[in-house]
Structures are given as C-alpha cells and as structure tokens.
C-alpha cells in the first residue's frame, strides 16, 4: 500500500509491537466476554427478541475475530511482495501455502494493476477469494467484471473509472460468482498510484471477503425488523383489547345507584385493576344492570388468557349474560347456558363467574357461581364468605349443572365481589385463604365508610400495589339504609 504521508509524520510511523500486543489482548478478552454472552443466548428460540440478541452476539464475534486477525497482521508485518505476472500472457504459478479455510488470511487479498506495463499482480489469498486456479494469470481490469454479478458490474465499473480518471479512492462492495457457482460479497479498497508527471501509473487494491460479516448483519437486521413488527402487533393488539374492553364494561364510573326508582336501592362502585406483570388485557369483567322487573344484576367473571381473542370472548359472555338476565333467567340456569355457550365456541377457553340477582322488595340475594370466589358479606363490623352452591368452571365440562343459593340482606349490608386476580391464589389454597382473610379484616373500615366508592378505595389501597400476574376486578354493593 503506498503512503502519501511524509516519512516523519506520526501517522506514517509503524505502531510499536508492545502497543499492538496490548490491543490484541484487549480484543481477545472482549471476545471471550462476548462469547460467554452468546453461549447463554437461546439458540433458535421462538422469541424474535432472543433471535435478535443471538444475531447481535454472532455479528460482534465476527467483527472481533476479524479485528484480532488484523492486529496480528499489523504486529507481524507485511506479507512477502507477491510475484508479478504479465496479464497478457499465461503464467504458471504454484499454489501458495495458505492458512486454513475460514481464517482472515483466506478472506483478504491484494492486487495491483500496472497501466504502463500492462502487468498485474495478485496475492494468493485473492485467488482463494475468487476461487480461481493459482496457476492462471490474474484478471486484467477489463476482465475483472466477468466474475461479478450482472447487477453489480456498473458499480465496479464506476469505481474503477473514477479511480483511473479522477484519481478517486475506491471503497465499495460487489458480489462475485466463483467457478463452483458460489456467490461471495467482496469489499474493495484501493487508490491510484501517480507517476512523476501526475498521471495514473497503476492502481492497487485490497479485496476482502465480507460474505459472513454481511450475512450476520442481515440476520441482525431481519431479526430486529421481526422484533419491531412483533412489538407493533403487540401494541396494536393491546390498543384493540383496551378499546373492546372499554366498549363492553359498564359505562359508569365512580358510584351508581340501582334500581333508579324506589327506596330499596344498592349503592354500587367498582374498579378494574390491570396486571402488574403483563401489558396485555385479560378477560376480567364486572357488571351491574337494572332488570325490567326492578331487580339488579351483579356479576364478575374472568376468562383465562390475555389479548384480543380473550377480550372478545369476555365480551361475548358478558353480552350473553346480560341478554339472558334481561329475559328473566335465574342465576343457576344462566350459568348452565353460559357453560354451554363457551363449550360450543370456536376458541376453547375456561372461565369463572359469579352472578347475583338482588330483589329489593325482599332484600334477597339469589346467586350462583362457576368456579369463582364467593361474594363476601360484611355486616355490623364483621365479614364472612357466603357458602357457595355447586358450580364448576365454565367450559370445563359439557352439561354441567349449577346450583343456586339465596341470602337475606339487611339495610347497611355490604357485598364485595371480586375476580381471583385480586388475591395471589384461589381461595382454596393457604395463600388464597390468607388473602381473603385480609379482605375480611377490612370490615371495620368498611363499617366507617360513607359510600361504596369509599370501600373500593380501601380495597385498592390494600391490594392495588400487589404484584399480580393477572388482571382483577372488584365490585362493591351496599344496601341502602
């Protein structure tokens, strides 16, 4: 490689062997650390983010391997000057003894084309890159495009022309086709060598096989694009799920009184608590609806899973529940039909629910449940869980029968309905029982509350910051005094 710098210029002085050895040590240490990270990365994982991380590690290893080899070349000095060959006449040349395939030295070659003598010289490595017989003469600049892909020939021609005519440095890539049909990507860097009169006497170039490097870069780009696409889909799905949830959950916020007419009303309040570990919307719901006969429907439920499919399934169940309740269906039969509906749906799923009808004339609560935590009843500063009637999860078995229970209420009584995401485990487990007991321990605070909304705030203060894997709903109904 010719130098255009004065011999005493600092940049023209070769680096000391010690400084290069230090750089090699740092590079190898860093390569070891990256390799350790790469070994821990999942191989062929289904997660686009994991594939992207693996691809980045592979790309970094390619770069560090090349850097290590470059520094070793810098430390060991330039290779022997290649033998010159006349490009216009055949020459016989023994195949050079090169390093093993895959090392950097088989991927970096050099060439020089003398425009005055029409001679060309290639290093043995360049023959290996192009897959040509070392006994064959090197290609002239006019012949070089013959091994380049058709689509890349104009690029190579433009680079060589600019170098020879306008003395511009060469720095670009093109793809070559080897005799065995393999396609390799070559990065070419070079400069014109000027004669005493300023005319171009020759052109030298360094050609590097960057096929594996570009493959790694493409892998990184493709996995990054896949990851971005997945994130975009997740954001879109989340937005659709939120919009669907907002469309089907009760439109009222804060407190509500039902029925609207009469003195025996329920003071109602509810809250939806999203998961703290997932950005996806679940299938939890709460509902309060005035029925044609003046009764009030109360329900909470949960369809397993997250995302748009689950949210749409929740919307289907809630719509069916409202319709059947408006038609006068009792809670036990309503649960049986919901189970049949879920069992016949295209997307198999499991769900839990509790459904209550409050009859204001008699202050009676008629209710049924399907594998769901029972309502909690608070009265006179104490609380208890209502004894649940028979009922399995919705969608668990065909033809399931659901029992029905009645509970007389008194003025000032407070009912608390919730989905199981509010507590760490189902009420049947020790952890779930402890969490339910924490809810029951809120009885004195509920007794001091002026409205159902105050009771919901108390629940949120107690459980709102809990690390939960699922969404949760809480619905509070207080019998008017």
């Amino acid at each position: 490689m010719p130098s255009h710098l004065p011999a005493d210029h600092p940049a023209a002085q070769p680096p000391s062997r010690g400084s290069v050895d230090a750089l090699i040590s740092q590079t190898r240490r860093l390569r070891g650390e990256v390799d350790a990270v790469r070994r821990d990365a999942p191989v062929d994982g289904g997660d686009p983010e994991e594939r992207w991380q693996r691809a980045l590690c592979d790309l970094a290893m390619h770069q560090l391997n090349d850097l290590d080899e470059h520094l070793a070349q810098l430390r060991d000095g330039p290779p022997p000057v290649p033998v010159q060959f006349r490009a216009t006449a055949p020459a016989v040349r023994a195949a050079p003894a090169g390093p093993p395939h895959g090392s950097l030295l088989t991927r970096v070659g050099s060439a020089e084309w003398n425009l005055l003598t029409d001679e060309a010289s290639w290093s043995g490595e360049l023959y290996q890159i192009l897959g040509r017989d070392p006994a064959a003469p090197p290609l002239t600049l006019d012949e070089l495009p013959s091994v380049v892909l058709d689509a890349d020939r104009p690029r190579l021609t433009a680079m060589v022309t600019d170098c020879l005519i306008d003395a511009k440095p060469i720095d670009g890539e093109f793809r070559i086709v080897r005799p065995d049909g393999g396609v390799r990507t070559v990065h070419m860097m070079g400069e014109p060598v000027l004669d005493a009169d300023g005319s171009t006497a020759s052109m030298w170039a360094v050609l590097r096989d960057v096929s594996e490097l570009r493959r790694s870069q493409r892998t990184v780009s493709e996995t990054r694009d896949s990851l971005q696409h997945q994130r975009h889909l997740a954001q879109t799905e989340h937005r659709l799920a939120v919009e669907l949830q907002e469309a089907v959950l009760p439109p009222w916020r804060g407190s509500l009184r039902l029925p609207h007419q009469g003195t025996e009303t329920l003071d109602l309040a509810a809250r939806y608590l999203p998961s703290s570990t997932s950005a996806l919307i679940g299938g939890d719901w709460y509902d309060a609806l005035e029925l044609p006969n003046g009764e009030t429907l109360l329900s909470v439920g949960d369809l397993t899973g997250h995302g748009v499919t689950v949210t749409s399934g929740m919307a289907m169940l809630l719509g069916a529940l409202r319709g059947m309740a408006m038609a006068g269906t009792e809670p036990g039969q309503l649960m049986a039909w919901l189970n049949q509906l879920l069992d016949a749906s295209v997307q198999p799923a499991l769900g839990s629910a509790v459904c209550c009808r409050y009859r204001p004339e008699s202050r009676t609560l008629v209710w049924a449940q399907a594998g769901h935590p029972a309502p909690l009843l608070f009265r006179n500063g104490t609380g208890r869980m209502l004894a649940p009637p028979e009922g399995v999860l919705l969608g668990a078995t065909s033809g399931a029968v659901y029992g029905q229970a009645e509970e007389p209420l008194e003025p000032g009584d407070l009912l608390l309905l919730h989905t199981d995401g509010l507590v760490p485990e189902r009420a049947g487990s020790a952890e779930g029982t402890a969490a339910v007991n924490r809810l029951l321990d809120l009885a004195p605070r509920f007794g001091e509350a002026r409205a159902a909304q105050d009771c919901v705030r108390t629940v949120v203060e107690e459980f709102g910051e809990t690390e939960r894997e699922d969404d949760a709903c809480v619905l509070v109904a207080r019998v008017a005094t």
Side-chain angles (χ1 to χ4, degrees), residues 84-88 112-121 138:
Q84 300 290 323
F85 294 91
R86 183 171 298 276
T88 56
E112 184 168 355
W113 291 272
N114 191 312
L115 305 180
L116 302 179
T117 63
D118 204 22
E119 290 180 332
S121 62

Side-chain angles (χ1 to χ4, degrees), residues 137-162:
L139 298 176
T140 66
L141 285 177
D142 291 335
E143 294 171 333
L144 187 60
S146 66
V147 299
V148 177
L149 279 181
D150 292 346
D152 294 352
R153 285 176 186 171
R155 183 182 310 137
L156 174 63
T157 300
M159 289 191 300
V160 172
T161 301
D162 290 343

Side-chain angles (χ1 to χ4, degrees), residues 42-60:
V43 179
D44 297 330
D47 186 353
E49 185 167 359
E50 293 177 353
R51 293 199 301 270
W52 179 62
Q53 292 171 351
R54 177 77 184 187
L56 279 177
C57 288
D58 289 341
L59 177 59

Side-chain angles (χ1 to χ4, degrees), residues 195-212:
D195 208 345
D197 60 359
S199 61
T200 302
S202 63
M203 188 187 85
W204 66 266
V206 173
L207 295 94
R208 179 185 178 204
D209 184 346
V210 294
S211 303
E212 294 304 315

Side-chain angles (χ1 to χ4, degrees), residues 281-285 301-314 317 342 347-353 370-372 393-396 419-420 426 469-471:
I281 300 297
D284 293 61
W285 84 80
D302 177 16
L303 197 62
T304 56
H306 295 85
V308 173
T309 300
V310 172
T311 309
S312 61
M314 175 269 289
L317 284 182
L342 196 58
Q347 294 288 344
L350 293 175
S352 68
H372 199 87
L393 285 170
L394 299 174
T419 58
D420 56 12
R426 290 190 178 275
E469 296 182 358
D470 199 1
D471 301 354

